[in-house]
Amino acid sequence: MGKRFTPAPWPRRLRSQEWYGGTSRDAIYHRGWMKNQGWPHDLFDGRPVIGILNTWSDLTPCNGHLRELAEKVKAGIWEAGGFPVEVPVFSASENTFRPTAMMFRNLAALAIEETIRGQPMDGAVLLVGCDKTTPSLLMAAASTDIPSIIVTGGPMLNGYFRGERVGSGTHLWKFSEAVKAGEMTQEEFLEAEASMSRSSGTCNTMGTASTMASMAEALGMALSGNAAIPAVDSRRRVIAQLSGRRIVQMVKDDLKPSDILTKLAFENAIRTNGAIGGSTNAVVHLLALAGRVGVDLTLDDWDRCGRDVKTIVNLMPSGQYLMEEFFYAGGLPVVIKRLGEAGQLHKDALTVSGATIWDEVKDVVNWNEDVILPADRPLTDQGGIAVLRGNLAPKGAVLKPSAASPHLLVHRGRAVVFEDIDDYKRKIEDEALDIDETCVMVLKNCGPKGYPGMAEVGNMGLPPKVLKKGITDMVRISDARMSGTAYGTVVLHTSPEAAAGGPLAVVRDGDMIELDVPNRRLHLEISDAELAARLAAWQPLPDRPASGYAWLHQAHVMGADTGADLDFLRGCRGNPVGKDSH
Ligand code: FES
């Protein structure tokens, strides 16, 4: 049974009144400065003050349209009697951040948590889109636990190149492999570039941005239907306005993230991820989010809940279509309804609307059975994330079966080891590299501590000499992540990571490795004594960052198996108003 929610009595004094209420010198100070923006006095009368936390940035192109969307959110807040304040927040862009945006997810969450707690906000609209922006704001909202609602920017329209759909990221990997294999010219690749991003919005595949938008909706943190509406569709602006209206009532009712983000909600999200063929990145983000609200979620929950879920959303990278078609087919509510019909949904989980998730979806219709497939012809029967264990991954590793090659799901091969990403780049195009398609590519030191930040390099490209034979997949193992737009038989998040002294660190060229996905096994074929001796002789990498955020990150980041959060940020610290500075 889901937790019963009882709305708080209204009217009552809100936290923003600790700044704006009364006639004290401090209240006059706080109101007086705000009035330099032309706000009338009655706006400070105790109505809900709603922070629109906006991850717009010119350097986060996927969120480049969020200032326009913020205007619609504001309109909704005004209509419902709230007072909107737009606040720019840390925007962890996937496109540009080095060494990887993932290193900054936790920094963004920390900065945004304090942005909420330290300022007069009673509720928050989380305006997000690009991959890390969604989890970082969800984590901040969870740790402060003020009423919050997600509005995503929506996906880009379909790309087309020479008459064929072009999926964000997915075709970048495909085209670059085709160039290496001599099947596409560099000029054609450049021509294709222009077709990849033809409107505002996030990646149009079921990559990490679309996955996390879907996770937010399945968790109950967004209005139903939010995830798939294209960025430029007028209905995207409608849902932004409706979300603005809704957050005001959520504040009055005191409907908080901790009321919504229950274990049942996480299990709904995990199953939804299996049904949509979502990104492996959702694993680390949901584990980290659960850690913020004190929900005991583990890697094993991913395997347990997702194992029998059929992937029914026929979207790249696992399938054929893109988010635009998913929206026209009915979007995520159709998928959630299907889970409910299959007995794979906690129907009474609460959502930001105040209704249960089942009430939100029970009457929707699937308008295109090529895009959202019927139950008797799914894309794959096992759509979840496989969690592998063995002496190579004592704390687990993950693989996305729907993106893998069926013939490689059980495989034994000789390891070809790359000590880090630079070693990989140096060797991979060398014709003398002793490798063929039966080998297992092993990449080390790309985990949360190692890279640092756990970059999306786990789907390392194949050697050109293999590609030229027409081979497009090999078993690859690393402690890295993989872009949600990528595909292949790729074992990721191997834990403990190499830089923390995990067994991955001591794999050597020529070792034999066994992958057995049906039995969830990842095994390095050396004796226990040999493994222990190698681990005893292992030395940490030199050149640790000496200062700055990189130091903080490396000193405190936890393993991928628990979500790679910073250890001191787990848990909910609430929203006490603290001392005034004046
Ligand atoms: Fe920003 Fe894909 S890179 S959404």
Side-chain angles (χ1 to χ4, degrees):
M1 272 294 284
K3 206 161 72 174
R4 290 189 75 83
F5 174 73
T6 308
W10 180 259
R12 65 179 190 286
R13 184 180 169 88
L14 297 174
R15 74 188 295 274
S16 60
Q17 285 295 294
E18 298 297 323
W19 283 261
Y20 296 141
T23 54
S24 68
R25 185 199 63 175
D26 289 349
I28 290 167
Y29 174 88
H30 297 306
R31 286 195 303 261
W33 257 262
M34 284 294 279
K35 285 178 179 174
N36 80 353
Q37 298 177 93
W39 300 124
H41 184 74
D42 62 355
L43 289 185
F44 303 93
D45 61 1
R47 69 188 69 198
V49 177
I50 308 297
I52 303 170
L53 305 183
N54 195 343
T55 53
W56 164 85
S57 161
D58 276 341
L59 283 176
T60 309
C62 322
N63 297 11
H65 59 303
L66 293 188
R67 280 192 297 183
E68 291 92 66
L69 213 54
E71 293 305 317
K72 299 299 283 183
V73 176
K74 283 180 193 171
I77 294 170
W78 286 125
E79 284 167 350
F83 178 11
V85 288
E86 188 178 351
V87 181
V89 294
F90 193 119
S91 184
S93 168
E94 200 63 30
N95 310 100
T96 47
F97 257 113
R98 292 184 179 186
T100 164
M102 179 61 182
M103 188 166 117
F104 303 100
R105 181 199 67 181
N106 300 333
L107 177 62
L110 170 59
I112 296 162
E113 176 182 339
E114 300 306 336
T115 297
I116 295 170
R117 186 179 296 113
Q119 302 200 80
M121 291 180 212
D122 303 309
V125 178
L126 315 178
L127 211 41
V128 295
C130 193
D131 299 17
K132 304 301 173 291
T133 57
T134 305
S136 60
L137 270 72
L138 275 172
M139 288 160 72
S143 280
T144 52
D145 206 26
I146 66 167
S148 302
I149 191 169
I150 281 265
V151 178
T152 52
M156 293 186 276
L157 298 177
N158 284 4
Y160 289 97
F161 178 61
R162 299 187 173 174
E164 282 187 30
R165 281 182 199 82
V166 172
S168 315
T170 302
H171 276 80
L172 186 66
W173 321 131
K174 279 201 171 129
F175 290 155
S176 71
E177 302 275 271
V179 171
K180 278 198 233 165
E183 294 162 1
M184 186 179 200
T185 66
Q186 191 65 43
E187 290 68 35
E188 287 170 325
F189 195 11
L190 284 174
E191 196 186 325
E193 176 189 306
S195 70
M196 289 179 184
S197 307
R198 58 178 273 258
S199 80
S200 304
T202 51
C203 289
N204 54 21
T205 44
M206 188 50 81
T208 303
S210 300
T211 299
M212 289 312 297
S214 302
M215 293 297 90
E217 187 172 328
L219 284 164
M221 289 297 294
L223 289 183
S224 191
N226 170 78
I229 308 171
V232 296
D233 193 295
S234 55
R235 287 161 283 189
R236 171 61 53 195
R237 286 176 279 160
V238 171
I239 206 162
Q241 189 157 337
L242 294 177
S243 300
R245 289 184 193 169
R246 179 61 200 156
I247 187 66
V248 176
Q249 190 60 43
M250 287 174 69
V251 169
K252 291 179 179 174
D253 292 347
D254 200 26
L255 177 54
K256 305 180 295 298
S258 59
D259 297 311
I260 296 167
L261 295 173
T262 62
K263 179 90 182 223
L264 303 187
F266 281 98
E267 291 187 352
N268 282 345
I270 290 171
R271 292 194 175 106
T272 302
N273 190 65
I276 62 176
S279 164
T280 47
N281 283 326
V283 178
V284 283
H285 298 325
L286 262 58
L287 288 172
L289 180 62
R292 297 296 182 106
V293 283
V295 166
D296 181 25
L297 191 75
T298 67
L299 265 183
D300 291 332
D301 290 318
W302 277 89
D303 206 310
R304 175 180 60 82
C305 294
R307 204 167 185 136
D308 298 323
V309 175
K310 298 174 181 188
T311 299
I312 54 170
V313 176
N314 188 9
L315 255 57
M316 297 179 204
S318 302
Q320 195 180 345
Y321 295 100
L322 294 168
M323 288 298 285
E324 191 179 338
E325 284 118 344
F326 184 40
F327 173 59
Y328 301 146
L332 197 70
V334 175
V335 178
I336 294 175
K337 179 181 180 185
R338 191 72 71 71
L339 288 171
E341 290 168 342
Q344 293 176 322
L345 184 78
H346 300 296
K347 292 182 175 176
D348 54 356
L350 186 65
T351 75
V352 285
S353 72
T356 66
I357 196 156
W358 182 247
D359 280 340
E360 292 290 356
V361 303
K362 63 184 188 321
D363 297 324
V364 299
V365 174
N366 182 3
W367 299 109
N368 189 332
E369 291 206 334
D370 284 334
V371 178
I372 305 176
L373 301 165
D376 59 353
R377 52 178 181 92
L379 214 51
T380 166
D381 278 326
Q382 292 220 335
I385 303 288
V387 177
L388 311 167
R389 292 188 192 269
N391 67 350
L392 192 46
K395 292 191 172 178
V398 303
L399 178 141
K400 181 174 166 182
S402 65
S405 302
H407 72 282
L408 290 174
L409 291 176
V410 177
H411 183 79
R412 182 173 176 270
R414 170 172 60 86
V416 175
V417 175
F418 306 99
E419 292 299 323
D420 57 27
I421 193 67
D422 295 325
D423 189 39
Y424 163 79
K425 286 179 180 165
R426 258 192 314 273
K427 291 177 179 167
I428 193 63
E429 303 208 353
D430 185 348
E431 286 293 313
L433 182 67
D434 183 14
I435 191 167
D436 63 36
E437 60 273 24
T438 66
C439 292
V440 173
M441 297 169 70
V442 176
L443 175 61
K444 303 177 183 175
N445 293 307
C446 293
K449 284 183 194 292
Y451 198 76
M454 207 182 174
E456 291 185 334
V457 293
N459 57 314
M460 55 195 130
L462 306 192
K465 66 180 183 183
V466 171
L467 289 168
K468 282 178 190 151
K469 291 193 230 174
I471 308 286
T472 55
D473 195 11
M474 287 172 64
V475 173
R476 289 158 270 180
I477 300 174
S478 74
D479 46 13
R481 294 177 303 118
M482 150 173 115
S483 165
T485 61
Y487 48 86
T489 310
V490 185
V491 177
L492 302 156
H493 311 186
T494 304
S495 300
E497 62 174 301
L504 187 71
V506 299
V507 180
R508 294 178 184 164
D509 277 328
D511 287 343
M512 294 304 290
I513 293 178
E514 182 200 352
L515 170 68
D516 181 350
V517 178
N519 290 303
R520 302 299 195 251
R521 181 173 151 88
L522 184 64
H523 185 68
L524 178 64
E525 293 184 1
I526 60 174
S527 69
D528 292 348
E530 169 69 9
L531 179 57
R534 288 191 196 178
L535 287 171
W538 173 80
Q539 293 291 324
L541 292 176
D543 304 330
R544 292 281 178 233
S547 63
Y549 177 67
W551 171 84
L552 182 75
H553 170 86
Q554 232 172 21
H556 289 280
V557 73
M558 301 168 73
D561 56 306
T562 55
D565 201 357
L566 300 182
D567 51 14
F568 61 92
L569 289 178
R570 279 170 79 84
C572 175
R573 285 161 287 284
N575 53 63
V577 293
K579 294 178 188 160
D580 204 316
S581 60
H582 306 103

